[in-house]
Amino acid sequence: MIQAGIIGGAGYTAGELIRLLLHHPAAEINFVYSTSNAGNAISDIHQDLLGETEQEFTGEINPEVDVLFLCLGHGNSKSFLEKHRFSAKTKIIDLSNDFRLNPDADFNDMHFVYGLPELNKEEIENAQYIANPGCFATAIQLALLPLAKHGLLKQDIHINAVTGATGAGTSLSPTSHFPWRDNNFSYYKPFTHQHLGEIGQSIAQLQHSFDKEILFMPYRGNFSRGIFATAYTEFDESADKAKEIYGDFYKNAAFTTVSDKELHLKQVVNTNKCLIHLHKHKNKLLITSIIDNLTKGASGQAIHNMNLIFGLEETLGLGLKASYF
Amino acid sequence: MIQAGIIGGAGYTAGELIRLLLHHPAAEINFVYSTSNAGNAISDIHQDLLGETEQEFTGEINPEVDVLFLCLGHGNSKSFLEKHRFSAKTKIIDLSNDFRLNPDADFNDMHFVYGLPELNKEEIENAQYIANPGCFATAIQLALLPLAKHGLLKQDIHINAVTGATGAGTSLSPTSHFPWRDNNFSYYKPFTHQHLGEIGQSIAQLQHSFDKEILFMPYRGNFSRGIFATAYTEFDESADKAKEIYGDFYKNAAFTTVSDKELHLKQVVNTNKCLIHLHKHKNKLLITSIIDNLTKGASGQAIHNMNLIFGLEETLGLGLKASYF
Amino acid sequence: MIQAGIIGGAGYTAGELIRLLLHHPAAEINFVYSTSNAGNAISDIHQDLLGETEQEFTGEINPEVDVLFLCLGHGNSKSFLEKHRFSAKTKIIDLSNDFRLNPDADFNDMHFVYGLPELNKEEIENAQYIANPGCFATAIQLALLPLAKHGLLKQDIHINAVTGATGAGTSLSPTSHFPWRDNNFSYYKPFTHQHLGEIGQSIAQLQHSFDKEILFMPYRGNFSRGIFATAYTEFDESADKAKEIYGDFYKNAAFTTVSDKELHLKQVVNTNKCLIHLHKHKNKLLITSIIDNLTKGASGQAIHNMNLIFGLEETLGLGLKASYF
Amino acid sequence: MIQAGIIGGAGYTAGELIRLLLHHPAAEINFVYSTSNAGNAISDIHQDLLGETEQEFTGEINPEVDVLFLCLGHGNSKSFLEKHRFSAKTKIIDLSNDFRLNPDADFNDMHFVYGLPELNKEEIENAQYIANPGCFATAIQLALLPLAKHGLLKQDIHINAVTGATGAGTSLSPTSHFPWRDNNFSYYKPFTHQHLGEIGQSIAQLQHSFDKEILFMPYRGNFSRGIFATAYTEFDESADKAKEIYGDFYKNAAFTTVSDKELHLKQVVNTNKCLIHLHKHKNKLLITSIIDNLTKGASGQAIHNMNLIFGLEETLGLGLKASYF
């Protein structure tokens, strides 16, 4: 069994990793590190796990684990890795944005591969260190990369994406206070969300020539899990051509499927799937892309990356039942 | 007291009209016509009204009322007015889309004025027949008309707007079934929503030269009331200039206010207000516009129009307490 | 115009008082005291009020106001009144639980009357100081007092009541964090909620002999506003007799109505109403009682009390449109 | 692989069965029978399954399947089994209430065992025909049966249980219409819910002497999945004794666990678990019991029964990740 360690175990993404690893047939949790919760039962924090595990958070780190997941706040992974050393064989999958951009990818003697399997599968399979993509970035890249591969991103791209409240993490905040968020709607960081960096970098990887704008409006929805993203841009080819391009791009994808029907978010909530829908209107192609922000957009993708690194079947431990309702 | 009649009394917009008229200091409900509910108490259907009115639905129409509100399904107002005649003095306010577009505005001997007070206040004050605007159309026009007035809509306009489930009416439908809609998100009629006709017509009224595209994505939110709309387009002037233009356009508006702060939907829910926010990003102006679809987007605006027609103070009966939470 | 002052202006109940007073025809806001927000616009905190008031929070108190509303945390009203003196004519309505119980009702030279109009209307009309009832306590007393009046509470009373998240106030807390509360359900303080004191005291006022148990389970609902309470106890009389008793008790009540039909919470949300329903099952009488916790259960009732004290019509400024959806 | 057939494949419980069987390591779906959807893709109805199965609904039945799940409306299982014959080896698990009560348990040559594994594990292991328990009935029995086993149900039992909207099925109805249900609360069938039959029968099985009343209030919550049930009754023993009794009763239970901490519904949503919490207040024992109505309360329990019948490990295919948020 692959021995897995988790750093920063009290947050949402760590919780999801624990949920997934508890049922993973080829991996097991070696330790869950949380300084603030050391000695407490994991199920005291992740309370759905009562009856499934009696493991406790620990304040000690085992540097010999096979795989280490970093679930720290953005900016904290680097400082953590400066303070702690792991064995030469330990694979590290970082869920923050610390190593996602090329200028950040090399740190000490480690090289982080951007862990979007649909884009970098081979590199991931051969990687030791993974920078796990952001949630919005995952949904949006999966909407755009097939076009980029064919050099078909020719004009500005207009993106709207709405995220659930778990996207803002476990910290209490006024915009996550129930009386505020319930039945409410709003946006934040219009046109300047930090995931634009990752998105632009991956597009450039496939279509170096792209020099237009990406106009991305991120919205706060009054639901807990999931991202519903739409993107449109000029597309002079036919709708059938679009379907061919996307179908081809995702024909071997383990979790991404093109739907002939219009989508609604709960088709993917609590799964590791991404569903894509294509709609042609005049000279515009509208691409819809939906994921669960905590699974496909974070911890599920991290397990997917683990599976790839260790040469396991891609879907191992990720055959998740949608909650759907 | 102004005697008011309501046709089609069992739906959401009729319910809101009844709620508003029950507390209106200058008008009272003469009759509420509903063939399917004739003889039943109004509070049997609009159940919050228990204790406020003992009036019943009627199957008989009083053609002598001062004002008549038509709350029929789209397409049914025309046929209703063909079958029923009202006194020469009766003002008619139609909440459907039957008479909103110029080619439909003249019907028999009636001329319907498009009842958006921020655009057509004087015409409304002198009108006898009003075509009350659509809900999305209200929010979006209030976002765009100040620019149109100054001929500043120069490029394509990108609009996203999300509506609550009441926007789909009282008819039971799969996409309004709670287990489907709860914590879900989706869109419908991408780029082709029927309100584009009204919107384009009003823009043309102020800026005849506009010949670019309006790309409107309507979304279904998992809340009950309200519309949160964002629009952006190229704008070469400064942010301050934008604030000046909007401030000037709305300086005498009874219900529309420009906010210096970012908006969230519940600021307007259950009120007749529209709040507007402006944000400049590079060469784009982002305009946010929020309303309650059933009040400002329908019945509240209808009462506003009634007030204007009868020379009453605009805000009479519309000083509504927001539910806010 | 009655000059009103509000102490502790940033919380939910203060916000609701401001909303109500802004539209009250016989009162106006003289000041809203908030040390933490002094100098900020009221609409910066109560953001739905943008466009309705430009008033600011103040750090100064006008001791000459006609009526003072205390919206402080439980336990803080006493210390506030020790530090601040008001004119001899100033009426004080306290929304905390500091003065609700008889042993607390006399403080310095002030005597606080328990401000449940359905119980103590005459005393309120003649009072200068009011202890405004708790939200759960309001719903539950209105369910039980008609029986108490007739000495018909003969056995244990079983009460379930579920409250919205605004009941827990504006302070951020884990059980009001959206990802936790959304689509969730739980209880707190089983059988020991602090409102039992008020409830028992009022029952004893009408039926001194009552010596059975009140078993009250308070639940947290995943909605924002409202309390849905059910109570049942042995009742040997007929259903018709129950209806007669309740109808008689509430025949002059301005806001409480007995419904022949089963109730649902949104019938009263954002109104000052209480609806009561009676159902006889074998030898049990099931009484349902629904209110909005912030209006009838707090600020609306406070305005009701103000109206009574000043000899105004009871419903003045309280003819609120339900949001209903 | 066990060959499974599903009758009535378009409803919620069938959808959940399909989701579970698709990932079950020892069973596979042989056919899903739906007359109304024959020929359509299963993922057209259960739209989260896109990308996971290309199977279609069929109008033909394979009478040789190893196990048959009946997901028909209450009352329709009997008539279905009268019209259709299955092989002598076919196990049948019925999810309706047609065979749950002893007088209904024998039908033609079939004897239906009541499929609550915590109560009847051995009988289930030896059964061919299973009557799968109701959702409320499951939660409530698991709260009460440990007391019944020790003859400790001595006085009336007071039960409140709130269910999500999926409990009312896929049929569109006014109380499942989103604008009604959203942020609302109500009850139905006070004291007379049909599951009282099952509950009473199981209690009698363990404590024949019980002759007091079960007062059960079923509530409609504004969430989609889950049942939160509380029950209290007189209990003269200590809290520790209660914990011992429940701990002992569930010590070998695969899915039911006693929690030391207070519970909230989302701990079990989208899992097959039941969590129980005990709280002693004076002479009352308060038992909280939470389940997901569609998994532990229906389809998950059906798979559990299938596992038992076929001698598989109880938890096979039921290690479900909670959605939790």
Side-chain angles (χ1 to χ4, degrees):
Chain A
M1 295 289 270
I2 297 165
Q3 296 299 310
I6 297 173
I7 307 296
Y12 288 154
T13 55
E16 293 289 279
L17 276 174
I18 296 167
R19 285 175 193 101
L20 294 171
L21 288 168
L22 280 173
H23 296 292
H24 197 287
E28 68 186 15
I29 298 172
N30 186 279
F31 70 87
V32 182
Y33 176 80
S34 166
T35 47
S36 57
N37 288 288
N40 293 331
I42 287 174
S43 64
D44 283 356
I45 298 294
H46 308 296
Q47 299 175 351
D48 59 301
L49 296 178
L50 187 70
E52 293 184 56
T53 178
E54 299 188 352
Q55 210 162 349
E56 294 175 356
F57 294 106
T58 177
E60 308 219 347
I61 289 172
N62 173 2
E64 301 294 326
V65 286
D66 300 307
V67 62
L68 185 79
F69 295 95
L70 299 181
C71 299
L72 298 164
H74 298 307
N76 295 331
S77 292
K78 275 192 185 172
S79 55
F80 178 85
L81 289 179
E82 271 171 356
K83 289 189 208 126
H84 300 85
R85 290 274 142 182
F86 290 84
S87 84
K89 63 158 192 175
T90 302
K91 324 288 190 189
I92 298 180
I93 299 174
D94 178 51
L95 282 82
S96 82
N97 63 13
D98 284 12
F99 308 110
R100 290 178 194 155
L101 299 185
N102 293 336
D104 303 321
D106 289 288
F107 180 71
N108 293 342
D109 53 345
M110 298 178 269
H111 176 72
F112 284 82
V113 169
Y114 187 67
L116 187 70
E118 289 83 352
L119 177 66
N120 293 329
K121 192 167 169 183
E122 274 185 48
E123 292 87 335
I124 295 166
E125 288 169 338
N126 296 305
Q128 184 169 4
Y129 305 108
I130 297 287
N132 210 56
C135 51
F136 270 135
T138 297
I140 292 167
Q141 288 176 79
L142 295 178
L144 300 178
L145 293 182
L147 293 182
K149 185 184 172 189
H150 293 265
L152 289 169
L153 294 173
K154 296 183 174 170
Q155 295 297 336
D156 289 352
I157 304 169
H158 301 273
I159 300 170
N160 311 297
V162 54
T163 184
T166 53
T170 54
S171 297
L172 303 181
S173 74
T175 53
S176 293
H177 196 48
F178 187 86
W180 189 92
R181 185 90 173 221
D182 175 41
N183 268 9
N184 209 352
F185 203 79
S186 58
Y187 64 71
Y188 65 110
K189 302 183 187 168
F191 306 126
T192 58
H193 194 281
Q194 65 273 14
H195 287 181
L196 282 167
E198 300 171 48
I199 295 165
Q201 172 174 291
S202 294
I203 287 174
Q205 179 179 331
L206 295 187
Q207 181 183 345
H208 194 67
S209 66
F210 180 70
D211 61 355
K212 302 299 179 185
E213 277 199 273
I214 301 178
L215 293 143
F216 169 29
M217 287 290 301
Y219 297 88
R220 289 184 198 99
N222 62 317
F223 48 84
S224 289
R225 296 182 80 121
I227 287 176
F228 189 100
T230 50
Y232 59 86
T233 191
E234 280 191 34
F235 182 74
D236 297 323
E237 315 279 335
S238 68
D240 282 347
K241 180 70 183 172
K243 284 176 191 172
E244 184 191 321
I245 289 170
Y246 279 77
D248 191 61
F249 193 92
Y250 292 119
K251 68 174 183 289
N252 296 320
F255 296 103
T256 302
T257 303
V258 179
S259 167
D260 285 336
K261 296 201 166 62
E262 289 188 355
L263 302 174
H264 55 100
L265 182 59
K266 290 205 290 189
Q267 291 180 265
V268 297
V269 169
N270 206 32
T271 77
N272 198 49
K273 299 205 288 189
C274 174
L275 292 181
I276 301 278
H277 176 68
L278 303 167
H279 175 75
K280 185 88 194 286
H281 173 74
K282 294 186 185 165
N283 70 335
K284 297 283 190 300
L285 182 67
L286 171 69
I287 311 119
T288 308
S289 170
I290 58 174
I291 64 166
D292 184 305
N293 57 310
L294 293 177
T295 41
K296 179 65 176 167
S299 306
Q301 189 150 253
I303 297 292
H304 188 182
N305 280 316
M306 179 190 83
N307 289 346
L308 289 171
I309 291 177
F310 287 92
L312 305 170
E313 198 185 341
E314 283 186 75
T315 57
L316 214 61
L318 293 170
L320 304 171
K321 192 185 93 57
S323 49
Y324 197 51
F325 309 112
Chain B
M1 296 289 270
I2 296 165
Q3 296 298 310
I6 296 173
I7 306 297
Y12 288 154
T13 56
E16 292 290 281
L17 276 173
I18 296 167
R19 287 176 191 102
L20 294 170
L21 288 167
L22 280 174
H23 296 291
H24 196 287
E28 67 186 17
I29 297 171
N30 186 279
F31 71 86
V32 182
Y33 176 80
S34 166
T35 47
S36 57
N37 287 288
N40 294 332
I42 286 173
S43 64
D44 283 355
I45 298 294
H46 308 296
Q47 296 175 354
D48 58 301
L49 296 177
L50 187 71
E52 293 184 56
T53 179
E54 299 188 352
Q55 211 162 349
E56 293 176 357
F57 293 105
T58 176
E60 306 220 347
I61 289 171
N62 172 2
E64 300 293 326
V65 287
D66 300 307
V67 62
L68 186 78
F69 295 94
L70 299 181
C71 299
L72 298 165
H74 299 306
N76 295 331
S77 292
K78 276 192 183 171
S79 56
F80 177 84
L81 289 178
E82 271 170 357
K83 288 190 207 124
H84 299 86
R85 290 276 143 182
F86 290 85
S87 86
K89 64 157 193 175
T90 302
K91 323 288 191 191
I92 298 180
I93 298 174
D94 177 51
L95 282 82
S96 83
N97 64 11
D98 284 13
F99 308 111
R100 289 177 195 157
L101 299 186
N102 293 336
D104 303 320
D106 290 286
F107 179 71
N108 292 342
D109 54 345
M110 298 178 271
H111 176 72
F112 284 83
V113 169
Y114 186 68
L116 186 70
E118 288 83 352
L119 177 68
N120 292 330
K121 191 167 171 182
E122 275 187 47
E123 293 86 335
I124 295 167
E125 288 170 339
N126 296 305
Q128 184 167 6
Y129 305 107
I130 297 286
N132 211 57
C135 51
F136 271 134
T138 296
I140 291 167
Q141 288 176 79
L142 295 178
L144 299 178
L145 293 181
L147 293 182
K149 186 184 172 190
H150 292 265
L152 289 168
L153 294 172
K154 295 183 174 170
Q155 294 298 335
D156 289 352
I157 305 168
H158 301 273
I159 300 170
N160 311 297
V162 53
T163 184
T166 53
T170 53
S171 298
L172 304 181
S173 73
T175 54
S176 294
H177 195 47
F178 187 86
W180 190 93
R181 186 91 173 219
D182 176 40
N183 268 9
N184 211 352
F185 203 79
S186 58
Y187 64 71
Y188 64 111
K189 300 182 189 168
F191 307 124
T192 58
H193 193 280
Q194 65 274 13
H195 287 181
L196 282 166
E198 299 172 47
I199 295 164
Q201 173 175 288
S202 294
I203 287 175
Q205 180 179 330
L206 295 187
Q207 181 183 344
H208 194 67
S209 65
F210 180 71
D211 61 356
K212 302 298 178 185
E213 275 198 274
I214 301 178
L215 292 143
F216 168 30
M217 287 290 301
Y219 297 88
R220 291 185 196 97
N222 62 316
F223 48 84
S224 288
R225 296 183 80 121
I227 287 175
F228 188 99
T230 50
Y232 58 87
T233 192
E234 281 192 33
F235 181 74
D236 297 324
E237 314 279 336
S238 68
D240 283 346
K241 181 68 183 172
K243 284 176 192 172
E244 184 191 320
I245 287 170
Y246 279 76
D248 191 62
F249 194 92
Y250 291 120
K251 69 173 183 290
N252 296 320
F255 295 104
T256 302
T257 302
V258 180
S259 167
D260 284 337
K261 297 200 164 65
E262 289 188 356
L263 302 173
H264 55 101
L265 182 59
K266 290 205 292 191
Q267 291 180 265
V268 298
V269 169
N270 206 31
T271 78
N272 199 48
K273 298 204 291 190
C274 174
L275 292 181
I276 300 279
H277 175 68
L278 303 167
H279 175 75
K280 185 88 193 289
H281 173 74
K282 295 187 186 166
N283 70 335
K284 297 284 190 299
L285 183 67
L286 171 69
I287 310 118
T288 308
S289 171
I290 58 174
I291 65 167
D292 185 307
N293 58 309
L294 292 177
T295 42
K296 179 64 175 168
S299 305
Q301 189 149 253
I303 297 293
H304 188 183
N305 281 316
M306 179 190 83
N307 288 346
L308 288 170
I309 291 177
F310 286 93
L312 304 170
E313 196 185 342
E314 283 186 77
T315 57
L316 216 60
L318 293 171
L320 304 172
K321 190 183 95 54
S323 49
Y324 196 51
F325 309 112
Chain C
M1 296 288 270
I2 297 165
Q3 296 299 310
I6 298 173
I7 307 296
Y12 288 153
T13 56
E16 291 290 281
L17 276 174
I18 296 167
R19 286 177 192 100
L20 293 170
L21 288 168
L22 280 175
H23 296 290
H24 196 285
E28 66 187 16
I29 299 170
N30 187 279
F31 71 87
V32 182
Y33 176 81
S34 167
T35 47
S36 57
N37 287 287
N40 294 331
I42 287 174
S43 64
D44 282 355
I45 298 296
H46 308 297
Q47 298 176 352
D48 59 301
L49 296 177
L50 186 70
E52 292 184 56
T53 179
E54 299 188 351
Q55 211 162 349
E56 294 175 355
F57 294 105
T58 176
E60 307 220 345
I61 289 171
N62 173 3
E64 301 294 325
V65 287
D66 300 308
V67 63
L68 186 78
F69 295 95
L70 299 181
C71 299
L72 297 165
H74 299 308
N76 295 331
S77 291
K78 275 193 183 171
S79 55
F80 178 85
L81 289 177
E82 272 171 357
K83 289 189 206 124
H84 299 87
R85 290 276 141 183
F86 290 84
S87 85
K89 62 157 194 177
T90 302
K91 323 287 191 193
I92 297 179
I93 299 174
D94 178 51
L95 282 82
S96 83
N97 64 11
D98 284 12
F99 309 110
R100 290 177 193 157
L101 298 186
N102 293 336
D104 303 320
D106 290 287
F107 179 71
N108 294 342
D109 53 345
M110 298 178 271
H111 176 72
F112 284 83
V113 170
Y114 187 68
L116 187 71
E118 288 83 351
L119 177 67
N120 292 331
K121 191 168 170 182
E122 274 185 48
E123 293 85 338
I124 295 166
E125 287 169 339
N126 297 307
Q128 185 169 5
Y129 305 108
I130 297 288
N132 211 57
C135 51
F136 271 134
T138 296
I140 292 167
Q141 288 175 79
L142 295 179
L144 300 178
L145 294 181
L147 293 182
K149 185 184 172 189
H150 292 265
L152 290 169
L153 294 171
K154 297 184 173 169
Q155 295 298 335
D156 290 351
I157 305 169
H158 301 273
I159 300 170
N160 311 296
V162 53
T163 183
T166 53
T170 54
S171 298
L172 304 182
S173 73
T175 54
S176 294
H177 195 49
F178 187 86
W180 190 93
R181 186 90 173 220
D182 175 41
N183 268 8
N184 210 353
F185 203 79
S186 57
Y187 64 71
Y188 64 111
K189 302 181 187 168
F191 306 125
T192 59
H193 194 279
Q194 66 273 15
H195 287 181
L196 282 165
E198 300 171 46
I199 295 164
Q201 173 174 288
S202 295
I203 287 174
Q205 179 179 330
L206 295 188
Q207 181 183 341
H208 194 68
S209 66
F210 180 71
D211 61 356
K212 302 299 180 184
E213 275 198 275
I214 302 179
L215 292 142
F216 169 29
M217 286 290 300
Y219 297 88
R220 292 183 196 100
N222 61 317
F223 47 84
S224 289
R225 297 183 79 121
I227 287 175
F228 189 100
T230 50
Y232 60 86
T233 191
E234 280 192 35
F235 182 75
D236 297 324
E237 314 279 336
S238 68
D240 283 346
K241 181 69 181 170
K243 284 176 192 173
E244 184 191 320
I245 288 170
Y246 279 76
D248 191 60
F249 193 92
Y250 292 120
K251 69 173 183 290
N252 297 320
F255 296 103
T256 302
T257 303
V258 180
S259 167
D260 285 337
K261 297 202 165 62
E262 289 188 355
L263 301 173
H264 55 101
L265 182 59
K266 291 205 291 190
Q267 291 180 266
V268 298
V269 169
N270 206 33
T271 78
N272 198 48
K273 300 204 288 191
C274 175
L275 292 181
I276 300 279
H277 175 69
L278 304 165
H279 175 76
K280 185 89 193 288
H281 172 76
K282 297 184 183 168
N283 71 335
K284 297 284 190 299
L285 183 66
L286 171 68
I287 311 119
T288 308
S289 170
I290 58 174
I291 64 166
D292 184 307
N293 57 310
L294 293 178
T295 42
K296 178 65 173 167
S299 305
Q301 189 149 253
I303 297 293
H304 188 183
N305 281 316
M306 179 190 83
N307 288 345
L308 289 170
I309 291 177
F310 287 92
L312 304 171
E313 196 185 343
E314 284 186 78
T315 58
L316 215 59
L318 293 170
L320 304 173
K321 190 184 95 55
S323 49
Y324 197 49
F325 309 112
Chain D
M1 295 289 269
I2 296 164
Q3 297 299 310
I6 297 173
I7 306 296
Y12 287 154
T13 55
E16 292 289 280
L17 276 174
I18 296 167
R19 285 175 193 103
L20 294 171
L21 288 168
L22 280 175
H23 296 290
H24 197 287
E28 66 186 17
I29 299 171
N30 186 279
F31 71 87
V32 182
Y33 176 80
S34 167
T35 48
S36 56
N37 287 288
N40 293 331
I42 286 173
S43 64
D44 282 355
I45 298 296
H46 308 296
Q47 297 175 353
D48 58 301
L49 296 178
L50 186 70
E52 293 185 55
T53 178
E54 299 188 353
Q55 210 163 350
E56 294 176 357
F57 294 106
T58 176
E60 307 218 347
I61 289 171
N62 172 3
E64 301 294 326
V65 286
D66 300 306
V67 62
L68 186 78
F69 295 95
L70 298 181
C71 300
L72 298 164
H74 299 307
N76 295 331
S77 292
K78 275 192 183 170
S79 55
F80 177 85
L81 290 178
E82 272 171 356
K83 289 189 207 124
H84 300 85
R85 290 275 142 183
F86 290 84
S87 84
K89 63 158 193 176
T90 302
K91 323 288 190 191
I92 297 180
I93 299 174
D94 178 50
L95 282 82
S96 83
N97 64 12
D98 284 14
F99 309 110
R100 290 178 194 157
L101 300 185
N102 293 336
D104 303 320
D106 290 286
F107 179 72
N108 292 343
D109 52 346
M110 298 177 272
H111 176 71
F112 284 83
V113 169
Y114 186 68
L116 188 70
E118 289 83 352
L119 178 66
N120 292 331
K121 192 168 169 182
E122 274 185 48
E123 294 86 336
I124 294 166
E125 287 169 338
N126 296 306
Q128 183 168 6
Y129 306 107
I130 297 286
N132 210 57
C135 50
F136 271 134
T138 297
I140 292 166
Q141 288 175 79
L142 296 178
L144 301 177
L145 294 181
L147 293 182
K149 185 184 173 191
H150 293 264
L152 290 168
L153 293 172
K154 296 183 174 171
Q155 295 297 336
D156 290 351
I157 305 168
H158 302 272
I159 300 169
N160 311 296
V162 53
T163 184
T166 52
T170 54
S171 297
L172 304 181
S173 74
T175 54
S176 293
H177 195 48
F178 187 87
W180 189 93
R181 186 90 172 222
D182 176 41
N183 269 7
N184 210 353
F185 203 78
S186 58
Y187 64 71
Y188 64 111
K189 302 182 186 168
F191 307 124
T192 58
H193 193 280
Q194 66 274 14
H195 288 180
L196 282 165
E198 299 170 47
I199 296 165
Q201 173 174 290
S202 295
I203 287 174
Q205 179 179 332
L206 295 187
Q207 180 182 344
H208 194 67
S209 65
F210 180 71
D211 61 355
K212 302 298 178 183
E213 275 197 276
I214 301 179
L215 292 142
F216 168 29
M217 287 290 299
Y219 297 88
R220 290 183 197 98
N222 61 317
F223 48 83
S224 289
R225 296 183 80 121
I227 287 175
F228 189 100
T230 50
Y232 60 86
T233 191
E234 280 191 35
F235 181 75
D236 297 324
E237 314 279 336
S238 67
D240 283 345
K241 180 72 181 170
K243 283 174 193 173
E244 184 191 320
I245 288 170
Y246 279 75
D248 191 60
F249 194 91
Y250 292 120
K251 68 173 183 291
N252 296 320
F255 296 104
T256 302
T257 303
V258 180
S259 167
D260 285 336
K261 298 201 163 64
E262 289 188 355
L263 302 173
H264 56 101
L265 181 59
K266 290 205 291 190
Q267 292 180 265
V268 298
V269 168
N270 206 32
T271 77
N272 198 49
K273 300 204 289 190
C274 174
L275 292 181
I276 300 278
H277 175 68
L278 303 167
H279 175 76
K280 184 90 194 287
H281 172 75
K282 295 184 184 168
N283 70 337
K284 296 286 190 297
L285 182 67
L286 171 68
I287 311 118
T288 308
S289 170
I290 58 174
I291 63 166
D292 184 307
N293 58 310
L294 293 178
T295 42
K296 179 65 174 167
S299 306
Q301 189 150 251
I303 297 292
H304 188 183
N305 281 316
M306 178 191 82
N307 288 346
L308 289 170
I309 292 178
F310 286 93
L312 304 171
E313 197 186 340
E314 283 186 76
T315 57
L316 215 60
L318 293 170
L320 304 172
K321 191 186 92 57
S323 50
Y324 197 51
F325 309 111

